[in-house]
Amino acid sequence: MKHKFLLFSLLLFSMLLFGCSTNSLKADIKEIEAVKIAHFNGFSTESKDFIVTFNEVEDKKVFVHAINSAVKLDGIADVTEADYNIHLLSKDDQMEIFHLWLEEDFSEGSIMNVKDSSTLYKLTKKALNNMKDILSKVDLEEK
């Protein structure tokens, strides 16, 4: 009986441990002051020349949703250079930076937090469609 209880306790603890761990990226829309997009200029680097800045809540939500709904891919990321950097500027002037890979037709996309360059996340179709809507209004090739 003690063995069953111990086994059950370990199983429950494992479920709680893995259930509380997260395999996703997180960004809080309430804390985001602006979303800035720049061309990729190296892994784990901050960009200075921004193509566009989004300040409107609805625009910022597109990027926050894309980050929060991204699905972690298994394994260690081995990627080519990204297309863009997304900079999330918080109200307390902190910056969270993500590398962004996008297919030209927005059929697929991936994202990576610069603080964790070994983990890659796949963007959802909904996030890609929303990003296509907002980014198609911007000339991403300028600068």
Side-chain angles (χ1 to χ4, degrees):
M1 182 70 173
K2 286 183 181 179
H3 293 291
K4 287 183 182 180
F5 179 75
L6 182 60
L7 183 60
F8 177 76
S9 296
L10 285 173
L11 181 63
L12 182 61
F13 177 75
S14 297
M15 288 172 43
L16 286 173
L17 182 64
F18 290 113
C20 291
S21 68
T22 177
N23 284 338
S24 62
L25 301 170
K26 293 294 174 211
D28 185 358
I29 188 63
K30 296 176 200 147
E31 299 300 318
I32 305 301
E33 184 73 25
V35 176
K36 298 181 177 199
I37 308 292
H39 288 286
F40 176 82
N41 64 346
F43 286 100
S44 302
T45 59
E46 180 179 338
S47 303
K48 298 293 183 194
D49 296 322
F50 298 107
I51 302 167
V52 63
T53 299
F54 297 99
N55 295 308
E56 298 298 320
V57 172
E58 291 305 311
D59 295 339
K60 294 185 291 187
K61 281 182 180 179
V62 168
F63 296 97
V64 170
H65 172 265
I67 291 165
N68 290 344
S69 64
V71 178
K72 182 179 178 183
L73 298 175
D74 292 331
I76 305 275
D78 183 20
V79 294
T80 60
E81 290 187 349
D83 299 306
Y84 306 100
N85 284 343
I86 299 174
H87 294 66
L88 302 181
L89 179 63
S90 68
K91 292 179 181 177
D92 61 355
D93 289 329
Q94 297 296 313
M95 184 94 61
E96 192 76 23
I97 306 169
F98 299 88
H99 297 313
L100 175 66
W101 290 261
L102 287 174
E103 290 294 322
E104 208 169 303
D105 63 355
F106 288 84
S107 61
E108 290 188 17
S110 301
I111 195 163
M112 173 189 289
N113 189 315
V114 299
K115 294 179 185 173
D116 182 9
S117 61
S118 65
T119 306
L120 188 66
Y121 297 83
K122 182 178 180 179
L123 297 172
T124 65
K125 291 292 182 193
K126 180 178 181 181
L128 286 164
N129 287 333
N130 291 341
M131 289 179 83
K132 181 179 180 179
D133 290 344
I134 193 171
L135 292 175
S136 64
K137 300 173 189 171
V138 178
D139 182 7
L140 294 175
E141 299 308 315
E142 66 183 52
K143 291 190 182 179

